[in-house]
Amino acid sequence: MIIVLLGPPGAGKGTQGERLAARLDVPKIATGDVLRAAVRDGTPLGLEAKAAMDRGDLVPDDVIMGIMKEALASPAAAKGAILDGVVRTTPQADGVAAMLSDIGRKVDAVLLFDIAEDELVRRLSGRTTCDNCQRPFFGREPGELCAVEGHVPTGTLVRRKDDEPDAVRKRLQVYRDQTSPVINWYEEHGPRVVRIDAIGSLEEVEARALQVLGY
Ligand SMILES: [Zn+2]
């Protein structure tokens, strides 16, 4: 089952993605992660991506899609995958559909983690982020060590500039401008976008997502 996650920054999409991936025993595939892994492993596409980054350019979409395709065609993803932050624009929705069709697969579900803007501003303004693994934390102060159960702490928590309230509102505007067309794209091409109420405990939100997926 290939599941696309949509949702504004701060809705808990990344965290829920990890939980769903563990629960369904499939990998969570996030653009940044697979990109970093490809660069680290020095795959041909990874080297192309690195060359672009070294020039200070954005990594071209076709290179990113190629790296995604390799990740999705790998044995680890045989049962499915959770795509987190992979589809943010309609060209990406198109690209993912075409890439999956190349390997005889398709998007089976699209989950939209939905949350009111005021709540997001409140959440994000209280967020710190690990300067190494980029994991978000709530209720933890800048300067603390990133310590996740089962992981060796390798980074320090920082308050990102773009988590200030004004910056958050700007990011949400960008998100809305980009995502409305993506939702329309899926309404037209399928599968249907299912909204998940993202307010509640991690367990509550996860249970809603699992129910939608038929678990
Ligand atoms: Zn970390």
Side-chain angles (χ1 to χ4, degrees), residues 10-12 115 118-127 138 198-200:
I115 188 166
D118 284 349
E119 171 66 14
L120 280 178
V121 173
R122 200 185 61 74
R123 278 192 190 189
L124 288 174
S125 312
R127 177 166 87 166
F138 297 90
I199 295 195

Side-chain angles (χ1 to χ4, degrees), residues 108-122:
D108 298 293
V110 182
L111 305 185
L112 170 63
F113 290 90
D114 214 7
I115 188 166
E117 173 157 338
D118 284 349
E119 171 66 14
L120 280 178
V121 173
R122 200 185 61 74

Side-chain angles (χ1 to χ4, degrees), residues 114-181:
D114 214 7
I115 188 166
E117 173 157 338
D118 284 349
E119 171 66 14
L120 280 178
V121 173
R122 200 185 61 74
R123 278 192 190 189
L124 288 174
S125 312
R127 177 166 87 166
T128 50
T129 307
C130 173
D131 63 1
N132 185 44
C133 70
Q134 311 302 323
R135 269 197 180 75
F137 293 89
F138 297 90
R140 307 256 322 262
E141 293 303 314
E144 288 185 37
L145 283 182
C146 162
V148 180
E149 215 177 317
H151 293 264
V152 179
T154 52
T156 306
L157 306 190
V158 294
R159 178 98 66 216
R160 302 187 342 190
K161 281 251 183 310
D162 58 358
D163 282 344
E164 306 287 345
D166 281 353
V168 167
R169 291 195 189 276
K170 209 166 282 171
R171 283 163 66 200
L172 291 177
Q173 184 62 48
V174 170
Y175 162 79
R176 277 197 305 272
D177 291 348
Q178 286 185 338
T179 306
S180 315

